[in-house]
Amino acid sequence: MRRIAWALAAWLAMGGVAAAQDVQAGFRAFLQNDIWPEARAVGVSRRTFDAAFEGVRANTKLPDLQLPGDAAKVEEINRQAEFQSPTAYFDEAKMAATAARGRAMLAQYAGVIKRIEARYGVPGPIVVAVWGRESGYGAAKIPYDAFEVLGTKAYLARRKEMFRAELIAALRIVQDGDLTAAQMKSSWAGALGQPQFMPTKFRALAVDFDGDGRRDIWNSVPDTLASIANYLRQSGWQPGRDWGFEARVPASVSCTLEGPDQGRPIADFAQAGVTRVSGRAFPPNEMRATGHLLMPAGRFGPAFVATPNFYVIKEYNNSDLYALFIGHLADRMAGGGPFSGEWRKVAGLTRGDVARLQERLVARGYDVGRPDGLAGFKTRRSIGAYQEKAGLPSTCWPTRELAAQMR
């Protein structure tokens, strides 16, 4: 019996080795037959191409891959912090420490930041907050070979075409002389340097602010901060406006009014009874301008009146929690305190659970955007609309109880 078990294990192991070899052979053929002709067509030399992929193998341990033979499915778990519990994301001890470090960075680089604000119109605390979130103010390790990551994902990821474009852009960065192939270090998702730019964003938006002739977002703080500011300004940042305000939203104001497509003068929200938690009035220039109701945890967390600048931050990372983290951290650097509202823990659903709930809402005629398992504003307000129609308390948030009720 033991001999049979050993033989079976050996056979399975050999099968695994063969499958791995097939993946690597397919990867090399993909690079040569698919990527090289496209790279050559946009001016990448063979020398650059060979330097980029010397010794590179497909890294099948990277997340979010579609390996041969795997069935396509929605992941049951949320790997990125931005799509997990707000309670953990806004841990107060970590937030306070990050803000304190941010204030020190604002002081240390005050001269550079003042020049960046003058050129790009983006407040220094917002820029520094992005820097802090993306790379711990430059302290985070960026360990991956960008060509290994991007090549693997262009070959095996679920979003192959997106990563293919990023891979070609990475090759062009080396061809342009910004960095050598060996210097191209990235995150597991292929994002580059301290601001974590994808290669296409680097080519379009990174700047040389220290005047050394190179756009060095790995080692230069001025280049890093100015590149972040340029990204936000080119994404539509409106100088002179805040990102938003924590607010009290009375029950008479429906949480289904949330969303960037339902903007109205902030004065309208104030007239409906929405007030700032600080007790201060909304600034006069903001009262006349457009605001948006924002309830990133439905009725289970703090509420906000966001400005269009909040959605500019989302251009950097398309997550409500990410943009809120940046805005709140910037406020803390400027002397603000913790959130007034409480992020209440709710018996959680997995990403797969939320996707199935979204499908049930779509079947009933509600617009959730894309049923991807992420509770974005369209999903939140559709939940609220369903709850109101069903005579249930309107929470605008996916819960186990709601999932059970909708089966």
Side-chain angles (χ1 to χ4, degrees):
M1 190 72 177
R2 288 181 180 176
R3 288 182 181 178
I4 294 173
W6 179 88
L8 177 61
W11 181 84
L12 289 172
M14 288 297 292
V17 169
Q21 290 174 341
D22 287 345
V23 167
Q24 297 303 334
F27 179 61
R28 298 307 304 183
F30 166 73
L31 293 178
Q32 294 301 322
N33 300 331
D34 287 67
I35 299 303
W36 164 238
E38 185 173 346
R40 180 177 56 192
V42 295
V44 175
S45 70
R46 186 72 206 193
R47 180 179 180 180
T48 294
F49 186 86
D50 288 344
F53 293 110
E54 182 179 1
V56 169
R57 292 168 57 84
N59 184 350
T60 56
K61 294 182 180 180
L62 293 171
D64 201 30
L65 300 182
Q66 188 75 53
L67 298 177
D70 286 355
K73 61 181 180 179
V74 174
E75 285 195 275
E76 290 295 319
I77 61 174
N78 300 328
R79 296 182 183 275
Q80 287 184 254
E82 283 76 21
F83 305 117
Q84 298 178 20
S85 167
T87 305
Y89 196 77
F90 294 111
D91 178 82
E92 176 53 30
K94 292 180 181 177
M95 180 65 74
T98 304
R101 180 65 174 155
R103 285 191 290 272
M105 294 294 101
L106 283 170
Q108 182 175 348
Y109 296 103
V112 170
I113 291 168
K114 184 176 181 181
R115 290 190 291 117
I116 289 171
E117 288 179 328
R119 181 175 299 184
Y120 299 104
V122 182
I126 291 287
V127 173
V128 172
V130 173
W131 184 33
R133 182 62 197 171
E134 294 297 338
S135 63
Y137 307 109
K141 294 181 179 179
I142 306 170
Y144 288 91
D145 181 319
F147 292 107
E148 174 189 88
V149 172
L150 294 168
T152 299
K153 288 183 173 285
Y155 181 53
L156 293 172
R158 292 175 173 85
R159 296 179 292 168
K160 291 181 177 63
E161 290 306 313
M162 184 201 85
F163 284 107
R164 184 182 184 120
E166 297 297 345
L167 177 58
I168 297 298
L171 288 165
R172 296 182 73 179
I173 289 171
V174 176
Q175 186 66 40
D176 292 344
D178 284 296
L179 291 101
T180 66
Q183 292 171 325
M184 289 284 284
K185 298 298 181 181
S186 77
S187 70
W188 62 262
L192 306 175
Q194 295 183 39
Q196 289 290 274
F197 280 10
M198 294 303 287
T200 53
K201 294 299 184 183
F202 176 94
R203 296 195 73 241
L205 299 169
V207 297
D208 170 23
F209 202 74
D210 61 14
D212 68 352
R214 297 174 61 244
R215 299 182 292 174
D216 184 1
I217 61 173
W218 284 262
N219 304 295
S220 169
V221 172
D223 287 5
T224 293
L225 297 181
S227 295
I228 293 170
N230 188 43
Y231 190 122
L232 295 172
R233 185 59 190 271
Q234 296 302 320
S235 296
W237 185 273
Q238 297 180 12
R241 294 203 67 185
D242 210 313
W243 68 269
F245 310 89
E246 187 179 355
R248 291 188 178 89
V249 179
S252 58
V253 176
S254 174
C255 55
T256 64
L257 297 177
E258 183 186 6
D261 54 349
Q262 298 193 100
R264 62 198 64 197
I266 290 178
D268 288 0
F269 286 114
Q271 188 174 7
V274 177
T275 59
R276 292 177 66 182
V277 298
S278 65
R280 299 191 297 272
F282 292 103
N285 67 307
E286 295 287 3
M287 287 284 277
R288 298 186 296 270
T290 298
H292 313 269
L293 184 63
L294 172 68
M295 303 181 74
R299 292 286 182 181
F300 295 108
F304 306 85
V305 173
T307 78
N309 282 341
F310 176 86
Y311 297 97
V312 170
I313 299 172
K314 282 190 68 175
E315 291 292 322
Y316 207 103
N317 183 319
N318 190 25
S319 159
D320 287 336
L321 295 188
Y322 177 90
L324 186 56
F325 185 100
I326 298 304
H328 181 65
L329 178 57
D331 288 349
R332 296 287 286 268
M333 290 181 200
F339 291 115
S340 176
E342 177 188 1
W343 297 97
R344 286 179 281 166
K345 288 189 176 181
V346 181
L349 298 176
T350 69
R351 182 168 177 175
D353 291 334
V354 175
R356 289 182 282 275
L357 179 60
Q358 289 170 321
E359 289 168 356
R360 295 185 193 113
L361 286 165
V362 169
R364 289 168 168 82
Y366 294 95
D367 178 13
V368 302
R370 186 163 58 94
D372 55 6
L374 306 177
F377 72 90
K378 288 186 177 180
T379 294
R380 296 195 295 265
R381 70 189 186 194
S382 290
I383 288 172
Y386 169 83
Q387 290 170 323
E388 289 177 0
K389 185 175 181 180
L392 300 170
S394 183
T395 66
C396 291
W397 190 251
T399 62
R400 289 180 182 174
E401 294 75 15
L402 177 65
Q405 197 273 340
M406 291 191 69
R407 283 198 181 99

